[in-house]
Amino acid sequence: MKISSLTTDDAALAELGRRIAEARLARQMTQAQFAQAAGVSKRTVERLEGGASTQSANLVRCLRALDKLDGLDRLLPQSPPNPIDLLERHGKTRQRARPDPDEGAGAGRPWAWGDEQ
């Protein structure tokens, strides 16, 4: 099944669970072995594969155990920098604050509180 914008939430979760189960079985892992490799409970694996909602951290752990975590980067790629921002920054160097030579010990005078005359 192809997941699209017309797919219901429940159907999308069920398809995601089916795909995770398929990937687990392709690695010839039981749910218990998979749960241990992912660092989650067997019940979490059952819920995930059954299409029930689960915490996103558990999904990440399971995808990592299947070597599929890079799929999240393709799912939501990092946005490129805004071209306008790049043009505004082009050629400008970062300015650093410089001490004022007329103030304090930098002028060759001893330091004072400022209320002495």
Side-chain angles (χ1 to χ4, degrees):
M1 172 179 130
K2 181 173 170 62
I3 299 173
S4 72
S5 60
L6 299 176
T7 307
T8 66
D9 294 349
D10 290 340
L13 287 173
E15 179 62 17
L16 181 62
R18 187 193 65 74
R19 291 180 189 186
I20 288 174
E22 188 177 279
R24 173 184 60 80
L25 291 171
R27 292 177 166 264
Q28 298 180 348
M29 296 173 79
T30 66
Q31 285 182 332
Q33 291 169 331
F34 179 49
Q36 185 175 12
V40 300
S41 70
K42 182 176 178 283
R43 180 66 185 132
T44 296
V45 172
E46 292 169 356
R47 288 180 54 77
L48 188 61
E49 290 183 358
S53 64
T54 184
Q55 293 180 2
S56 55
N58 290 335
L59 174 62
V60 168
R61 289 180 185 123
C62 289
L63 291 175
R64 186 184 316 276
L66 292 171
D67 291 328
K68 302 282 187 188
L69 192 58
D70 59 334
L72 288 180
D73 197 40
R74 288 191 303 272
L75 176 67
L76 290 170
Q78 192 174 34
S79 300
N82 183 341
I84 300 299
D85 291 340
L86 290 175
L87 284 174
E88 289 174 354
R89 281 188 264 153
H90 182 69
K92 293 183 180 178
T93 57
R94 187 172 160 197
Q95 299 276 328
R96 300 223 181 252
R98 294 185 193 101
D100 188 351
D102 295 332
E103 288 185 17
R109 292 175 287 175
W111 183 86
W113 285 101
D115 56 355
E116 297 97 22
Q117 299 257 358

